[in-house]
Amino acid sequence: MTRSELIEKIAAKNPHLTMKDVERIVAVVFDSIIDALSRGDRVEFRGFGAFSVRTRSPRLAKNPRTGEQVKVDERKIPHFKTGKQLFESLNKK
């Protein structure tokens, strides 16, 4: 699902909201998640999952073309862990 598909789906289920209102709501939610993660906070949606930031240690990597070793600096990466309800709905028996 893309961002525009999400906006269309929310707008369809909430006919009292204009498309511009729904676009603003989605933008605020995504911006809030990004801001929280950039501060190092954890964002949790009960039943859905939690977003957090993990740190990758600096390391030596290899350039696949030349075989030359390259230093890769420390990086922060987003991490998502599924919630119990989402996990169970994906793994129904």
Side-chain angles (χ1 to χ4, degrees):
M1 175 180 285
T2 64
R3 183 183 189 131
S4 58
E5 290 171 341
L6 176 63
I7 291 169
E8 288 174 12
K9 199 164 213 168
I10 293 171
K13 289 189 176 192
N14 296 281
H16 62 283
L17 295 173
T18 66
M19 191 65 98
K20 283 207 178 272
D21 289 339
V22 175
E23 287 174 6
R24 277 189 231 127
I25 291 167
V26 170
V28 167
V29 169
F30 286 166
D31 290 344
S32 298
I33 292 170
I34 292 168
D35 290 344
L37 291 175
S38 66
R39 289 190 310 267
D41 295 341
R42 184 172 187 258
V43 179
E44 181 177 335
F45 298 105
R46 298 281 166 140
F48 180 72
F51 295 92
S52 60
V53 177
R54 292 194 174 173
T55 304
R56 266 197 197 154
S57 302
R59 62 189 171 87
L60 286 177
K62 220 180 239 190
N63 182 332
R65 282 196 179 159
T66 63
E68 175 186 353
Q69 284 198 337
V70 180
K71 183 182 173 199
V72 178
D73 294 332
E74 178 180 275
R75 292 181 182 244
K76 297 198 181 296
I77 57 165
H79 175 73
F80 179 75
K81 182 177 180 187
T82 58
K84 183 178 178 182
Q85 185 179 356
L86 175 61
F87 182 81
E88 288 174 353
S89 68
L90 292 174
N91 294 291
K92 290 180 184 175
K93 290 188 177 181

